[in-house]
Amino acid sequence: FLGIGTQKGGTTYLHGLLKQHPQVYLAYPKEVHFFSLHFDKGLNWYSHQFDIATADQRCGEITPYYLFHPLAAERIATALPKVKLIVLLRDPVERTLSQYFHSKRLGLEPLELEEALAAEPQRLADAEAALKRGEAHKSHQQHSYLSRSRYERQLFRFEKLFLSAQLLVLNSEDLFEHPKQI
């Protein structure tokens, strides 16, 4: 299984819950980024992330950037066509603000909130083209506040490649309030 997103949507909380279960093996570190940033390392490298899992454990990893990365859905579908996908979606406004303040705390965002939101279209203008060329794009990861909260655009890429039974979409707030019921 893969936890594919969203950033600032509760994936760290989900990781903590799953890590407690003896029949679940989670790759380390939490965000492997294989299908987004490290795809060039190959499937053999990726499979080694699960080498110490036991036969009775379900293997998974959680990288919230997968939901937003324009190439991740297709890469996942090709490599793991039967995988189960978990998506946590947080209130889009709360998620946007959380990502902005997270970037600000880490020193990744020099602009004030309104300026950062206004600058986002220009910052991301060439992002998809750069990623498709295999180049990194700093703003795609760090300054995509509003874009990452447009869930319908991101989910569409996965919905067209995976069966609905493979895609579990959860409301983050519900998970926080009732973790045992989810």
Side-chain angles (χ1 to χ4, degrees), residues 132-150:
K132 288 177 180 177
R133 289 191 304 267
E135 300 169 6
H137 195 282
K138 176 183 164 185
S139 283
H140 193 264
Q141 268 192 282
Q142 297 174 5
H143 305 126
S144 48
Y145 313 114
L146 296 170
S147 299
R148 284 197 195 212
S149 291
R150 297 296 311 265

Side-chain angles (χ1 to χ4, degrees), residues 20-46:
Q20 295 174 35
H21 198 293
Q23 291 178 308
V24 172
Y25 176 83
L26 292 169
Y28 181 83
K30 174 188 161 232
E31 297 184 24
V32 175
H33 281 284
F34 175 68
F35 295 104
S36 52
L37 305 178
H38 303 302
F39 195 67
D40 61 325
K41 293 183 178 185
L43 280 171
N44 195 38
W45 176 87
Y46 184 63

Side-chain angles (χ1 to χ4, degrees):
F1 66 90
L2 296 174
I4 61 171
T6 185
Q7 181 191 37
K8 307 311 289 175
T11 57
T12 300
Y13 181 69
L14 177 64
H15 186 272
L17 292 175
L18 291 171
K19 194 173 180 179
Q20 295 174 35
H21 198 293
Q23 291 178 308
V24 172
Y25 176 83
L26 292 169
Y28 181 83
K30 174 188 161 232
E31 297 184 24
V32 175
H33 281 284
F34 175 68
F35 295 104
S36 52
L37 305 178
H38 303 302
F39 195 67
D40 61 325
K41 293 183 178 185
L43 280 171
N44 195 38
W45 176 87
Y46 184 63
S47 68
H48 284 304
Q49 307 309 305
F50 306 95
D51 280 349
I52 61 172
T54 61
D56 66 328
Q57 290 179 308
R58 301 275 183 180
C59 292
E61 64 121 333
I62 298 177
T63 301
Y65 189 39
Y66 292 162
L67 182 63
F68 187 59
H69 194 283
L71 304 176
E74 194 170 302
R75 289 171 174 175
I76 293 167
T78 300
L80 304 170
K82 296 181 190 251
V83 72
K84 302 282 187 176
L85 303 166
I86 303 168
V87 183
L88 286 172
L89 300 181
R90 183 177 180 185
D91 173 278
V93 174
E94 294 295 323
R95 196 222 65 78
T96 296
L97 293 172
S98 182
Q99 181 188 353
Y100 168 79
F101 288 113
H102 177 77
S103 289
K104 197 76 169 161
R105 273 190 312 275
L106 295 176
L108 304 172
E109 179 56 76
L111 303 177
E112 293 305 315
L113 177 61
E114 287 183 25
E115 295 171 299
L117 297 179
E120 184 173 330
Q122 183 177 357
R123 287 172 153 179
L124 299 183
D126 63 341
E128 288 204 19
L131 293 169
K132 288 177 180 177
R133 289 191 304 267
E135 300 169 6
H137 195 282
K138 176 183 164 185
S139 283
H140 193 264
Q141 268 192 282
Q142 297 174 5
H143 305 126
S144 48
Y145 313 114
L146 296 170
S147 299
R148 284 197 195 212
S149 291
R150 297 296 311 265
Y151 302 135
E152 76 284 3
R153 294 177 181 174
Q154 299 164 64
L155 284 171
F156 177 74
R157 290 192 292 255
F158 288 88
E159 291 170 337
K160 71 180 186 178
L161 295 171
F162 294 94
L163 300 173
S164 60
Q166 289 176 265
L167 196 57
L168 176 63
V169 179
L170 300 172
N171 178 299
S172 298
E173 290 81 4
D174 291 343
L175 177 65
F176 299 150
E177 290 177 31
H178 312 287
K180 292 183 180 184
Q181 294 176 7
I182 303 283

